């Protein structure tokens, strides 16, 4: 015994009607459907889908003043969306090219302070214009129809009539003859699409390009400055004292990887000094300089016990012995603090003799390449 369901649209998607499936596919053959116009298929599909059209507001008359004004408004908003998207790209790509380089010039004002807000502003305005343009297009140029429809499974009949409905929607949109809108849409789509994928370039950029993780602003002849910008001479510190110093470069006291501890050893510490291999000449007299960035998790190493010759990290209690090349003697750190080779210039002020010969801070995935 077979059961035949004759409800409209209940045939389960058969492309070829047979006795197992009922409904519209039994009433209309594929040849009959192919012979109907789009409007006829649209109306037929609505009737069989149980659609009840409650109210229809037609769109503006073609080539009317109202339509032309609406087309100009929508096209302008879409064009603005594309323009703001391209401005986003100009700021993003132009920084360091024909615009100032924001990366290394960290200031409270100027381009460094404007770079990120401008990116957010232009992207926000672009996406806002996309939304406003779509709302204006729907409100002012498309016919508005209020209808009620019952939901059911699809069939070949449903697919054919639904296709006609979609084509009818494209026809009713008027995009085929409203060239200003289609051109502004293409401009907007290209701009917004590139704008959205452009930041992904930062995810595929080689982080070792130029070795930013393995170098700092310290270099031969760069003076050691206090946080207030004053240079230091030998003898300015008491034995057993520590002072944090920075490179004498623009923004040096704000660079996270540049902070260095300048320590003046006591006489007994100097006698017990055991430099690491290859770093015997890095000290200057009874002065040594080590990176202030802990090699475990990057915390600032800021506690010094001159009685024990140990530098302590307050985050995870790693301890480093300054008389043994700042090797770790306690805690989770496994790598010594990098030592900065220091000397004095012709005026008697402390200078660096080179950059650190190893990466400062915590170990990362390809430190061995440095």
């Amino acid at each position: 015994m077979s059961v035949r369901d004759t409800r409209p649209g209940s045939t389960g998607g058969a492309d070829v009607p047979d006795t197992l499936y009922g409904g519209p596919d039994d009433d209309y053959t594929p040849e009959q459907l192919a012979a109907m116009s789009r409007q006829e298929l649209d109306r037929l599909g609505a009737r069989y889908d149980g659609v009840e059209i409650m109210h229809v507001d037609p769109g503006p008359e073609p080539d009317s003043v109202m339509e032309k004004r609406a087309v100009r408004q929508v096209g302008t908003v879409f064009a603005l969306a594309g323009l703001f998207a391209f401005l986003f790209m100009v700021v993003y790509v132009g920084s360091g090219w024909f615009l100032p380089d924001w990366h290394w010039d960290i200031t409270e004002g100027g381009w460094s302070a404007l770079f990120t807000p401008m990116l957010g502003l232009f992207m926000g305005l672009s996406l806002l214009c996309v939304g406003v343009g779509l709302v204006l297009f729907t409100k002012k140029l498309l016919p508005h129809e209020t209808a009620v429809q019952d939901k059911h499974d699809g069939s070949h009949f449903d697919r054919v009539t639904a296709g006609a409905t979609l084509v009818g929607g494209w026809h009713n949109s008027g995009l085929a003859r409203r060239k200003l809108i289609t051109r502004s849409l293409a401009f907007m789509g290209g701009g917004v699409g590139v704008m959205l994928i452009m930041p992904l370039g930062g995810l595929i950029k080689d982080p070792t390009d130029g070795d930013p993780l393995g170098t700092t602003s310290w270099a031969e002849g760069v003076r050691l400055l206090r946080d207030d910008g004053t240079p230091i001479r030998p003898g300015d510190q008491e034995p057993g004292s520590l002072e944090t110093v920075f490179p004498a470069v623009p923004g040096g006291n704000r660079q996270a990887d540049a902070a260095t501890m300048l320590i003046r050893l006591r006489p007994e510490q100097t006698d017990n000094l055991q430099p690491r291999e290859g770093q015997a000449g890095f000290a200057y007299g009874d002065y040594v300089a080590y990176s202030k960035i802990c090699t475990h998790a990057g915390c600032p190493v800021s506690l010094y016990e001159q009685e024990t010759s140990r530098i302590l990290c307050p985050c995870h209690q790693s301890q480093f012995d300054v008389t043994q090349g700042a090797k770790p003697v306690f805690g989770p750190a496994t790598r010594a603090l990098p030592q900065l080779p220091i000397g004095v210039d012709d005026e008697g002020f402390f200078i660096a003799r080179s950059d650190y010969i190893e990466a400062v801070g915590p170990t990362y995935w390809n430190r061995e390449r440095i």
Side-chain angles (χ1 to χ4, degrees), residues 81-159:
L83 176 62
F84 287 130
F86 282 105
L87 287 175
F88 172 93
M89 288 181 274
V90 168
V91 174
Y92 188 88
V93 176
S95 182
W97 179 19
F98 53 86
L99 294 175
D101 188 355
W102 69 276
H103 290 278
W104 315 120
D105 184 18
I106 304 175
T107 60
E108 294 181 358
W111 185 248
S112 294
L114 293 176
F115 177 76
T116 301
M118 289 181 69
L119 291 181
L121 175 65
F122 288 138
M123 177 177 282
L125 289 175
S126 177
L127 297 178
L128 177 64
C129 288
V130 171
V132 172
L134 292 175
V135 170
L136 288 177
F137 179 76
T138 303
K139 286 282 189 181
K140 296 194 172 187
L141 293 173
L142 293 183
H144 299 154
E145 179 181 279
T146 303
V148 178
Q149 179 181 15
D150 295 330
K151 187 177 183 300
H152 56 75
D153 295 333
S155 67
H156 172 72
F157 177 89
D158 295 322
R159 288 193 293 274

Side-chain angles (χ1 to χ4, degrees), residues 44-332:
L44 181 62
R47 186 172 70 250
Y48 269 88
D49 281 344
V51 175
E52 181 181 358
I53 299 176
M54 310 299 295
H55 181 71
V56 177
D57 287 327
E61 289 292 329
D63 297 325
S64 64
V65 175
M66 180 181 295
E67 186 199 43
K68 291 179 180 179
R69 182 168 60 249
V71 167
R72 287 195 297 269
Q73 292 175 350
V74 175
T76 299
V77 174
F78 282 157
L80 285 175
L83 176 62
F84 287 130
F86 282 105
L87 287 175
F88 172 93
M89 288 181 274
V90 168
V91 174
Y92 188 88
V93 176
S95 182
W97 179 19
F98 53 86
L99 294 175
D101 188 355
W102 69 276
H103 290 278
W104 315 120
D105 184 18
I106 304 175
T107 60
E108 294 181 358
W111 185 248
S112 294
L114 293 176
F115 177 76
T116 301
M118 289 181 69
L119 291 181
L121 175 65
F122 288 138
M123 177 177 282
L125 289 175
S126 177
L127 297 178
L128 177 64
C129 288
V130 171
V132 172
L134 292 175
V135 170
L136 288 177
F137 179 76
T138 303
K139 286 282 189 181
K140 296 194 172 187
L141 293 173
L142 293 183
H144 299 154
E145 179 181 279
T146 303
V148 178
Q149 179 181 15
D150 295 330
K151 187 177 183 300
H152 56 75
D153 295 333
S155 67
H156 172 72
F157 177 89
D158 295 322
R159 288 193 293 274
V160 173
T161 55
T165 301
L166 293 175
V167 174
W170 165 258
H171 178 78
N172 292 334
S173 71
L175 290 176
R177 58 185 179 82
R178 292 164 178 164
K179 301 299 184 183
L180 175 61
I181 293 182
T182 55
R183 290 167 184 163
S184 62
L185 273 173
F187 179 72
M188 177 193 73
V192 173
V194 176
M195 176 187 69
L196 293 177
I197 65 174
M198 181 168 288
L200 297 178
L203 300 178
I204 61 177
K205 181 181 178 181
D206 185 359
T208 63
D209 186 21
D211 198 14
L213 298 178
T215 59
T216 70
S217 294
W218 292 109
E220 182 179 1
V222 175
R223 279 184 176 178
L224 280 61
L225 302 182
R226 300 181 179 92
D227 187 38
D228 60 5
T230 58
I232 306 175
R233 296 177 184 268
D236 287 351
Q237 293 178 230
E238 295 293 329
S241 64
L242 177 151
E243 183 146 18
T244 301
V245 295
F246 303 91
V249 297
N253 63 341
R254 294 190 176 190
Q255 295 176 359
D257 58 355
T260 299
M261 297 176 291
L262 181 64
I263 302 172
R264 185 176 185 184
L265 303 175
R266 297 186 301 177
E268 62 271 21
Q269 291 175 310
T270 304
D271 294 338
N272 296 325
L273 189 62
Q274 300 176 19
R276 293 164 57 196
E277 184 178 355
Q279 300 183 10
F282 280 22
Y284 181 83
D286 54 357
Y287 282 87
V288 290
Y290 296 107
S291 171
K292 194 180 178 71
I293 312 304
C294 182
T295 55
H296 169 234
C299 296
V301 181
S302 57
L303 303 176
Y304 175 52
E305 289 183 344
Q306 56 175 300
E307 293 82 4
T308 61
S309 302
R310 293 187 178 187
I311 306 170
L312 286 76
C313 176
C315 291
H316 306 101
Q317 289 71 56
S318 293
Q319 299 180 19
F320 307 86
D321 192 331
V322 297
T323 64
Q324 299 182 34
K327 291 182 179 180
V329 294
F330 181 82

